[in-house]
Amino acid sequence: MAFFGLIGNDRRMADTTYSARESASAKNARKRRQSHHRGATVADRQGQAWENAERRRQDRNGWWRS
């Protein structure tokens, strides 16, 4: 009846059995942060592409401005 030995000692088991593993809540938080940074990188690249296109647009046909 090893099952009855498991009841009530979940904190002790967590300290020993799962001590080297990342908790589920920490894993989910890490994935959320990574997802946010991935989206920020994409947005940054899109903003840079827009800025480059805008500069090209402003610089083309510049003979009439000078």
Side-chain angles (χ1 to χ4, degrees):
M1 302 299 276
F3 173 75
F4 292 110
L6 296 177
I7 296 175
N9 67 348
D10 54 346
R11 289 186 189 267
R12 188 168 14 118
M13 280 186 62
D15 289 340
T16 58
T17 307
Y18 304 110
S19 63
R21 294 181 60 185
E22 184 178 25
S23 70
S25 58
K27 181 178 178 181
N28 288 336
R30 178 178 49 81
K31 288 190 176 233
R32 275 194 306 274
R33 285 191 304 272
Q34 287 174 344
S35 175
H36 169 72
H37 290 300
R38 187 169 40 249
T41 302
V42 169
D44 185 44
R45 287 187 183 138
Q46 288 175 346
Q48 189 66 42
W50 177 87
E51 182 180 356
N52 292 340
E54 186 68 13
R55 287 186 192 276
R56 279 194 305 272
R57 186 189 67 77
Q58 289 175 353
D59 290 344
R60 115 178 136 228
N61 297 332
W63 57 270
W64 61 273
R65 290 192 186 130
S66 57

